[in-house]
Amino acid sequence: MEPLIEARSLGKVFPMGGGPVHALRDISVQIAAGEYLTIRGPSGCGKSTLLHILGCVDTPSSGTLRFDGRDVSALPDHARSDLRLRSIGFVFQRFFLLPMLTAAENVDVPQAEAGVSRADRKRRTAELLDYVGLGHRAGHRPSQLSGGEAQRVAIARALANRPRLLLADEPTGELDRANGEHIAELLDRVQADGTTVVVVTHDAALAERAGRRLVMRDGLIEREEHAR
Amino acid sequence: MIGRRAAIAALCAAVAALSSVASSAPSPAPDILVSRQLLESQQLQVGDVVSLSSDTSGANPRSFRIAGQYEPTPDPMRLGAVRLEVRMHLPDVVGLTAQSDPLDAESVDAINVVLANDDEARATVRRLMTAVPGTLAERTGNDERRAAPFVVLERFHLAIAIVTVIASSVFLLALMLMLVEERRATVGMLRLIGFRRSRILQHVLAEGVVIAITGALFGVVLSVVLEGGINRFFQWRYDTALVFVHITPGVALRSVTVAVPLGVAAIFASSWSLLRGEGISLTRR
């Protein structure tokens, strides 16, 4: 079976004043559809850079990336935008919700951009907010939500267009233990419902929940662990 | 004969002496029109009989009956002058001035003639100059010499307008840069969600058009309001019916035509650097 994501010899170099910085060196990884993968490592090891490249937010300096069998490593910007909109969901440490919109409107935005009809959007938004346990907070703005609630809205937004891949960058990084646990359970559920989940985290407990764990160091995959 | 064809009116600019006498008895005094300013300053009324003299000492006065008042034709060249004037028939002017100097009965320095048909002005001037050698006849309207100071003033206004537009554009650009910078994170989030650059640019430009049109219309409304205020103030200040500021539809249209593209260009220029950035970098402060 063909993997959902296939990265071969990915490299990423950032030109800096003091000379080029090699954020990623010869990374190769395959991620199957429906898999739950976590990436761990010390700060600056390149795990977020890898996540951004896997999510088509950034492009690799070298190597190839295939998404669902299609080479996406050199796609033009608009094509990468379309791919992100329809096939990839993002969750970030700092939620990145649009502050002037309500929870429901934040979930509505990607669907509207994808051309979903108003009626379908309304139904899907209600369904997703219920899914993350925030149906009663639909009309609240991000500033009126707790960190855990905001992150759950961010997950609902990431799932809005039924992506095949959900990428999360330190999703529990700004949450207390209880809220972090809640988010971890939600990610488990998302994966159990068939979405491929890739999480970058420092949180060992969160990382342990995945079926496969990559540990990175200095832009390389140091080791790969599998759940027992 | 010019006198028959035209309504004859003479302006007696120097009213040397003027006094009101009893107005109750019928008077054979000839009629005159008195400027509103003169009527007010001397507390006269229509129907009053007044004595006028062309001599500053008030010698040899003649009586006239005030038949009505008039608003002097606004004249920018006489801004600030108090229009203490009367209008009287030409024979009365001659009679009034001749009393002090018998030769005056034979001569008049200047006569303003209002033609029934303005189109005949040029021909009338030519005919007069030909018929009475030594007479200088000229049109009061369309006089390039009289308009010369206003041409200079207009150029000065144009220069001010250009400087204002340039300064406003710089200010607008700075304002838009601040506005766009505040939206840095929002644009970053939209890019991460999957919004295309072109789509965000569309939003930004649409917003820019709305802001620019709203701003331009606000400017037009403000200028119309100010127009009324400025005119009222200076008309009161100089006691004149002159119009100092006039916002014509053409001026308003020109302003909108300049302002809207400028506003859109400013928001486009300020957004461009932001839209070139990658989504994730935009969300970092």
Side-chain angles (χ1 to χ4, degrees), chain A residues 132-154:
Chain A
V132 298
L134 289 174
H136 62 295
R137 305 282 265 166
H140 289 78
R141 289 203 161 74
S143 59
Q144 297 168 309
L145 301 173
S146 70
E149 288 173 331
Q151 193 61 296
R152 281 190 274 159
V153 173

Side-chain angles (χ1 to χ4, degrees), chain B residues 117-154:
Chain B
N117 185 358
D118 192 45
D119 294 339
E120 294 175 3
R122 196 181 295 273
T124 305
V125 163
R126 209 169 32 243
R127 207 162 53 240
L128 262 176
M129 302 267 273
T130 311
V132 191
T135 300
L136 175 64
E138 56 186 9
R139 292 188 64 185
T140 53
N142 300 330
D143 186 337
E144 286 179 8
R145 278 177 303 160
R146 280 168 65 92
F150 298 101
V151 171
V152 173
L153 209 60
E154 200 163 307

